[in-house]
Amino acid sequence: MKFLHVLILGFACALPLAASAQWQWIDNTGKKVFSDQPPPLDVPEKNILRRAAGASQRASVAPAPSAASAPDAAAAGAAPPAGLPKPAGVDKELAEKTRKAEEAEKAKQAAEAQKVAQAKSDNCARAKQGKATFDSGIRVARVNAQGEREIMDDKARAAEAQRVQSVIDSDCK
């Protein structure tokens, strides 16, 4: 029975060793990333905090093209250099995330534009109704700062009619 206990204890102690085959690095946004895969090539060596057991240094990346070859690189387009391996599946996922983010931003802008258009439409309708009231010639009263009702004189009516007309000019197109 004692041998069985020692065997179970040995397995329990060996279990964390399997988890030591982990990579740990800080990504471009400053977050710590834990993975069983090595980090992408755009992560600098200084940001790699822990390597998987038995993993050697990553192969150094080819130096950036010199300034003399920069026009050639621009003419070639955004094609990656032939010496660098292209990570599989990352571009599709990144493109999909980018597309979804752009669609969400467009939807958000469309909703905001619709909200502004609705507010302008409501302002226009209220301004037209106010203008019709002033044009009808009926007496218009306001409540002053003391809470008392006072009838607008001709000067105040003209000023308010002008303000309402400016709202109509700006919101009713």
Side-chain angles (χ1 to χ4, degrees):
M1 191 70 173
K2 189 170 186 149
F3 177 72
L4 183 61
H5 286 122
V6 171
L7 186 64
I8 291 173
L9 182 64
F11 281 131
C13 291
L15 190 60
L17 294 177
S20 69
Q22 295 288 318
W23 288 86
Q24 180 182 357
W25 68 90
I26 298 175
D27 66 1
N28 296 337
T29 61
K31 294 181 182 176
K32 280 189 178 180
V33 179
F34 299 89
S35 177
D36 60 345
Q37 301 292 322
L41 294 175
D42 64 338
V43 175
E45 285 291 326
K46 66 178 182 166
N47 287 357
I48 299 176
L49 303 176
R50 189 170 63 196
R51 301 175 189 286
S56 62
Q57 295 284 343
R58 292 190 304 178
S60 62
V61 179
S66 64
S69 65
D72 296 334
L84 295 176
K86 184 175 179 182
V90 174
D91 291 339
K92 290 180 183 177
E93 293 173 9
L94 182 61
E96 183 66 22
K97 285 182 182 178
T98 304
R99 185 185 62 79
K100 284 184 180 179
E102 288 173 356
E103 287 177 0
E105 184 64 29
K106 285 180 184 177
K108 184 177 176 183
Q109 289 175 352
E112 186 66 29
Q114 184 179 7
K115 191 183 290 185
V116 168
Q118 181 65 37
K120 280 190 170 191
S121 174
D122 292 344
N123 287 343
C124 178
R126 280 194 295 272
K128 284 182 177 179
Q129 183 180 14
K131 181 160 175 42
T133 301
F134 285 113
D135 290 344
S136 70
I138 62 171
R139 287 191 282 174
V140 179
R142 282 192 175 171
V143 178
N144 64 14
Q146 291 81 24
E148 300 169 342
R149 196 177 128 180
E150 59 184 29
I151 307 269
M152 294 175 73
D153 60 354
D154 290 338
K155 185 177 178 183
R157 265 180 94 91
E160 187 64 19
Q162 187 176 9
R163 187 192 69 78
V164 168
Q165 185 60 45
S166 69
V167 171
I168 291 173
D169 293 342
S170 67
D171 288 348
C172 300
K173 293 182 181 181

